Amino acid sequence: MTSPDRKPVVRRLFHLLYGEPWWHLATLLASFALCGYAMAQLLAGDWRGVLEWAVGAAVVHDLVAVPLYGSADWLLHRAVRGSRPRSPRRIAVVNHIRVPAFVSLMLLLVYWPLISQDSGAQLRYATLLDAGVFRTRWMAVTGVLFGLSGLHLAFRLWRERRKAPV
Amino acid sequence: MKVPLPRPNELWRSPLRGPWLTSVLGAVLLVGIPVLFVTGLLSYAAYNPNLSHVNDKTPGKGLLGFYLFSWPTHPYWLYRLNQGVHVTLGIVLVPVLLAKLWSVVPKLFALPPVRSVGHALERLSLLLLVGGGFFEFVTGILNVQLDYVFPGSFYPLHFYGAWVFVGAVLAHVALRLPTAVRALRSRDFRAELRTPTSRTRPEPPDSGGLVAARPADPTISRRGLLGMVGLGSLALAVVTAGQSIGGPLRGTALLAPHGRSPGTGPGGFPVNKTAAGAHIRPQDVGADWQLTVSGAGGSVRLGLAELQRMAQARAALPIACVEGWSTGDQHWEGVRLRDLAALVGHPDDPPGVFVESIQLTGSFRAVALSAGQVRDGRTLLALRVNGADLTPDHGYPARVIIPGAPGVMNTKWVGRLTFGATDFPERT
């Protein structure tokens, strides 16, 4: 039987200095070797631009986007559930706003270049297609999503009321 | 008076966060990201980059090109399928990726920020993972919408960025897979899908710091959260996939760049480079236009009428773009490249060909095709499509069409074909 204390001294010393087992370091070093090899080429051109984009995207997501959508969700809860925070009906209303808003924002996020017409001129030039349609289409899809969600909510509330004891 | 500040792990109060939820989302990405990576590598191979420098936008690839092989012409829809999967799946995974990051966000702010040397290295690796992942998704999504704002040419950025990302993914999977498997086994997935909000409880406290120290009351179930993410992915699939599947579904691709055709009639299918955009003037492709064909046996110059008098072959082939959109099979008519090779001294087993457009500048105005591509009887110098002459935007008077190759290799407004060459004749 080998107890943890019977581990070779070298391994214990390594763990003390490094904080993780040896294969943790081996895995990371192998990964860094591959990443570094590719990164040498990735950064061969406009290295500053590439670093700004990669690190910038992570920072914008973690420090701007997450707090932003977190607070938006919190505000939605405050606005809808304010006086009766435990009411299941109010929570249902929140979710019937949350879900279509989430889906609509996903579409907006992915198709921002077309919806905002950021690449409109390039699109027209290369494909002969009108880039002006995307904003209207996104708004229409958003409207349909909220409409369906609203109908579903109305149906749920109606069914609940019918079931509720008089 | 001292007011106790909330500890960072008390800021994150969602009762849904926990190893199980993170592992479910991780499992989806564990299937999706390898598919994206492999289809991406295949897409690079489809350009036959080892054939010529004009085919290769990442000549510094070194060992990263270890897997390259001569791209086949069978099945003719191979590139169409590959690229439709790559682009559509990448877009569909965006909500999953963001949900996964949401589920682990408390770890970013965990204190102390660095516990040991090993922890510091792991956080560095996570920066490569998250930064590399964002870089790949953002450059891909911008490129398919022709929004070229990223710092450099798309091909090297997306190719080398993919290897950095995958290097970090491999380490992350190796270090986290045991934890993820344990977490997935800790709850019954189907039971979770039957659990409403009222019965949703936080996962038991974990050593990784994902489960909230002071969880709020649930306002949505895990089923609800996964459903919402799935609905986001489904919505993206619906407004995107039609530009690749085509047919009646093209109209459902409401937000995709190629959800419509630019016109009607025989030449009404999508284009991505117009005659005006390529600076092709009417006089360049008028009655004086001639095609120069060269090979081991000399050179010939052929006008449009002479080409039309040669044996005409037919092939039903799609145009499939690296950007993920494609057309259905179009009915092309023209001269087989191997028949043109026979005119200039290659009667049997013709070699590859170097194809040049009369377009003077711009990417992919010339391309090198492999011997396999030339020998396939469906590889044509097309003069007509869908029963009519080519339109100017589809390459009038003559364009190349190859089964299974990326759209941009089907050179339009062809001016010269050099059999046995892999570079501009002036340069060799």
Side-chain angles (χ1 to χ4, degrees):
Chain A
M1 294 256 299
T2 335
S3 73
D5 298 320
R6 298 285 297 278
K7 270 187 189 168
V9 182
V10 185
R11 251 191 238 180
R12 267 191 295 162
L13 190 65
F14 180 86
H15 203 288
L16 190 71
L17 290 173
Y18 182 70
E20 302 285 346
W22 65 270
W23 45 263
H24 184 274
L25 180 62
T27 307
L28 286 181
L29 288 181
S31 159
F32 288 148
L34 175 56
C35 294
Y37 186 81
M39 212 167 347
Q41 291 299 325
L42 181 64
L43 301 180
D46 177 7
W47 62 271
R48 194 178 294 211
V50 172
L51 286 184
E52 275 170 15
W53 272 67
V55 178
V59 169
V60 166
H61 173 264
D62 295 341
L63 300 183
V64 181
V66 171
L68 207 64
Y69 72 66
S71 349
D73 194 53
W74 183 81
L75 280 175
L76 175 68
H77 281 267
R78 285 297 296 262
V80 177
R81 294 162 61 199
S83 54
R84 299 174 58 198
R86 286 179 185 275
S87 148
R89 192 171 293 178
R90 297 279 179 102
I91 291 175
V93 173
V94 166
N95 284 326
H96 277 270
I97 298 171
R98 234 181 193 178
V99 173
F102 169 80
V103 174
S104 166
L105 285 173
M106 282 297 117
L107 297 177
L108 181 66
L109 179 73
V110 168
Y111 283 112
W112 175 254
L114 290 180
I115 293 169
S116 69
Q117 294 215 38
D118 200 37
S119 57
Q122 178 62 31
L123 188 81
R124 250 188 304 274
Y125 175 76
T127 70
L128 305 170
L129 297 170
D130 169 27
V133 300
F134 296 107
R135 184 179 304 183
T136 328
R137 287 180 177 187
W138 173 72
M139 290 196 296
V141 171
T142 301
V144 169
L145 289 168
F146 274 97
L148 289 175
S149 180
L151 282 177
H152 185 206
L153 177 68
F155 174 71
R156 274 177 68 176
L157 294 178
W158 170 75
R159 201 178 50 179
E160 212 171 86
R161 196 162 303 165
R162 264 191 10 160
K163 271 194 202 161
V166 184
Chain B
M1 195 178 107
K2 262 174 110 179
V3 180
L5 286 166
R7 297 214 312 277
N9 67 344
E10 293 184 351
L11 270 175
W12 311 99
R13 298 198 54 200
S14 169
L16 301 189
R17 281 200 187 91
W20 182 83
L21 183 71
T22 296
S23 302
V24 169
L25 296 165
V28 177
L29 295 175
L30 185 59
V31 175
I33 287 173
V35 174
L36 289 181
F37 184 58
V38 170
T39 49
L41 292 185
L42 289 176
S43 176
Y44 178 48
Y47 285 78
N48 281 333
N50 281 345
L51 211 54
S52 165
H53 70 97
V54 298
N55 292 16
D56 192 2
K57 300 297 169 193
T58 50
K61 59 193 178 290
L63 298 173
L64 304 180
F66 73 93
Y67 69 93
L68 291 171
F69 55 95
S70 185
W71 188 250
T73 53
H74 291 274
Y76 71 90
W77 40 260
L78 185 58
Y79 192 72
R80 188 180 179 200
L81 176 71
N82 185 79
Q83 221 42 26
V85 168
H86 184 77
V87 171
T88 311
L89 181 62
I91 284 174
V92 162
L93 284 181
V94 169
V96 185
L97 184 74
L98 293 177
K100 171 77 161 60
L101 290 170
W102 171 83
S103 79
V104 295
V105 80
K107 292 192 113 171
L108 183 71
F109 299 94
L111 289 177
V114 171
R115 292 192 309 262
S116 64
V117 181
H119 187 228
L121 285 184
E122 193 168 337
R123 296 204 82 167
L124 180 65
S125 176
L126 288 173
L127 178 66
L128 292 175
L129 181 75
V130 177
F134 273 124
F135 190 78
E136 284 308 282
F137 277 84
V138 171
T139 49
I141 286 170
L142 287 171
N143 190 65
V144 302
Q145 296 174 71
L146 317 180
D147 199 3
Y148 308 127
V149 289
F150 32 75
S153 159
F154 173 72
Y155 289 91
L157 293 181
H158 204 63
F159 178 76
Y160 295 123
W163 281 102
V164 175
F165 178 47
V166 162
V169 168
L170 287 173
H172 188 64
V173 172
L175 296 179
R176 289 278 167 262
L177 193 62
T179 316
V181 170
R182 261 198 313 278
L184 286 174
R185 286 190 179 149
S186 72
R187 302 175 93 80
D188 177 10
F189 186 76
R190 273 182 292 180
E192 207 58 57
L193 291 188
R194 288 193 299 267
T195 307
T197 309
S198 56
R199 286 195 285 118
T200 298
R201 304 282 175 272
E203 291 184 45
D206 66 326
S207 55
L210 292 176
V211 179
R214 234 163 32 88
D217 289 334
T219 56
I220 193 166
S221 58
R222 290 187 186 84
R223 158 181 82 180
L225 181 119
L226 293 176
M228 182 169 87
V229 172
L231 199 62
S233 292
L234 179 71
L236 282 164
V238 167
V239 300
T240 305
Q243 69 163 352
S244 175
I245 299 167
L249 282 182
R250 188 173 300 280
T252 63
L254 287 174
L255 297 178
H258 286 268
R260 294 163 288 169
S261 291
T264 53
F269 55 95
V271 291
N272 220 15
K273 176 158 68 175
T274 61
H279 304 290
I280 305 293
R281 300 165 304 173
Q283 61 264 40
D284 299 330
V285 291
D288 296 337
W289 173 85
Q290 280 196 315
L291 172 76
T292 307
V293 186
S294 310
S299 264
V300 291
R301 290 172 73 84
L302 303 164
L304 185 55
E306 288 158 296
L307 286 167
Q308 284 162 341
R309 278 196 295 275
M310 291 179 68
Q312 302 293 301
R314 292 160 185 270
L317 298 170
I319 301 276
C321 183
V322 67
E323 294 162 11
W325 63 270
S326 51
T327 72
D329 294 349
Q330 308 297 323
H331 297 270
W332 307 92
E333 266 178 85
V335 184
R336 286 194 176 107
L337 284 199
R338 65 181 190 210
D339 292 347
L340 289 165
L343 288 183
V344 289
H346 302 283
D348 322 293
D349 300 336
V353 67
F354 192 77
V355 183
E356 289 167 76
S357 173
I358 59 169
Q359 181 188 354
L360 290 176
T361 55
S363 208
F364 289 103
R365 69 197 163 90
V367 72
L369 304 184
S370 69
Q373 288 171 324
V374 170
R375 289 171 196 178
D376 191 300
R378 297 165 298 175
T379 302
L380 306 180
L381 181 74
L383 309 176
R384 291 167 67 79
V385 66
N386 301 326
D389 286 345
L390 294 176
T391 60
D393 291 327
H394 283 298
Y396 178 87
R399 83 173 298 173
V400 168
I401 185 82
I402 312 145
V408 77
M409 296 181 83
N410 299 302
T411 310
K412 301 198 264 199
W413 316 289
V414 174
R416 183 156 64 173
L417 298 172
T418 313
F419 288 92
T422 56
D423 202 347
F424 294 95
E426 300 83 33
R427 292 213 201 165
T428 48

